[in-house]
Amino acid sequence: MFIVFEWVDGSGKDTQLDKTFAYLRKKDKNIHIWTTQEPTRSTESGKKALEKLSWDGFKDGREALELFVKDREEATPFRREMMKSSTILSSRFDYSTFAYQWAQWLTFDEIYEAHNYKNILIPDLTFIFDVNLENIEKRISERWAKKEFFEELDFLNKVRKLYLDSAEKLKSERNIVIIDANRSIEEVFEDVKTELDKYF
């Protein structure tokens, strides 16, 4: 399976990915699990995207879209090979592009059409961890770190709405689970486990 964990920073998605890894290993000690994150560090496009995120950022949403899509295309053969014997857990995937680049004035249709899904793996299961703006602000401020551009609250509020709008548009063709992540880590993970137990 290819399982994706989505939402903005401060949602707890990476914590839930880690707990999923431990939970699946506990259920089956022989299971093979690969963890990835986007952008990847294993493709040229992923490395370019990471470099831009670390320095001056993208010049616009279209540049970000092109690099993220190319990263997914380049990573797909590897992921398909891994899925022959392993489960893949990924922190973010195409929903992040739908939400963030839609917020940067591209349209949903432009973003969808840029993805050639014949060459890009579609997740078997996507968890979307919905957190309200108040809790996002609190969690980010607790990091004692300077806010990045993508962590500006007005922008994140827009991205939050577009994550949900994207899920609504894709729900007929994707297996999407939206979870209220305003609660405690363990309460959220109970919902995650309920979904995981349907497959493992």
Side-chain angles (χ1 to χ4, degrees):
M1 284 189 73
F2 181 29
I3 305 174
V4 171
F5 298 73
E6 286 277 12
W7 204 248
V8 301
D9 289 344
S11 65
K13 66 184 183 309
D14 294 322
T15 297
Q16 295 300 323
L17 187 155
D18 292 342
K19 290 183 73 63
T20 294
F21 183 98
Y23 180 67
L24 294 180
R25 288 296 300 270
K26 185 177 180 179
K27 287 185 68 126
D28 180 3
K29 66 180 181 180
N30 295 314
I31 192 172
H32 294 275
I33 304 174
W34 283 85
T35 62
T36 66
Q37 65 180 28
E38 288 216 340
T40 72
R41 299 181 182 276
S42 59
T43 74
E44 289 305 310
S45 297
K47 291 173 184 176
K48 288 179 182 177
L50 284 166
E51 183 177 330
K52 286 183 174 294
L53 286 168
S54 297
W55 293 93
D56 297 329
F58 303 103
K59 64 181 181 182
D60 55 31
R62 192 165 303 281
E63 181 185 43
L65 172 63
E66 290 173 358
L67 281 174
F68 286 133
V69 168
K70 191 64 177 174
D71 181 25
R72 288 172 196 130
E73 289 180 348
E74 293 174 2
T76 287
F78 171 78
R79 284 175 170 146
R80 283 183 172 149
E81 187 64 28
M82 290 301 98
M83 283 181 63
K84 292 178 181 179
S85 58
S86 305
T87 291
I88 299 175
L89 309 180
S90 179
S91 174
R92 291 196 169 144
F93 196 62
D94 57 351
Y95 273 89
S96 288
T97 300
F98 283 118
Y100 280 90
Q101 273 61 71
W102 195 357
Q104 291 179 297
W105 312 112
L106 298 182
T107 69
F108 177 89
D109 289 340
E110 283 181 291
I111 298 165
Y112 188 91
E113 289 168 7
H115 287 81
N116 180 358
Y117 285 108
K118 291 182 179 178
N119 298 327
I120 295 175
L121 199 62
I122 295 176
D124 297 297
L125 175 62
T126 299
F127 289 111
I128 294 180
F129 297 96
D130 184 16
V131 180
N132 62 36
L133 190 62
E134 181 181 353
N135 280 324
I136 290 171
E137 181 177 16
K138 179 182 177 182
R139 293 175 187 183
I140 290 175
S141 66
E142 287 173 350
R143 297 176 181 177
W144 295 99
K146 181 181 178 181
K147 292 181 182 177
E148 299 175 354
F149 168 69
F150 287 129
E151 291 180 339
E152 293 298 330
L153 294 178
D154 287 345
F155 184 79
L156 287 179
N157 197 37
K158 185 176 182 180
V159 169
R160 175 179 183 260
K161 178 183 181 300
L162 295 177
Y163 260 118
L164 297 174
D165 288 351
S166 298
E168 181 66 23
K169 286 179 175 292
L170 292 170
K171 67 180 182 182
S172 65
E173 57 188 85
R174 300 281 187 98
N175 187 9
I176 307 162
V177 179
I178 299 175
I179 293 177
D180 177 5
N182 293 293
R183 301 166 296 162
S184 72
I185 291 171
E186 292 305 325
E187 287 174 319
V188 171
F189 191 58
E190 285 300 315
D191 287 355
V192 173
K193 285 194 296 184
T194 296
E195 294 301 322
L196 293 173
D197 289 345
K198 296 176 181 178
Y199 303 94
F200 296 94

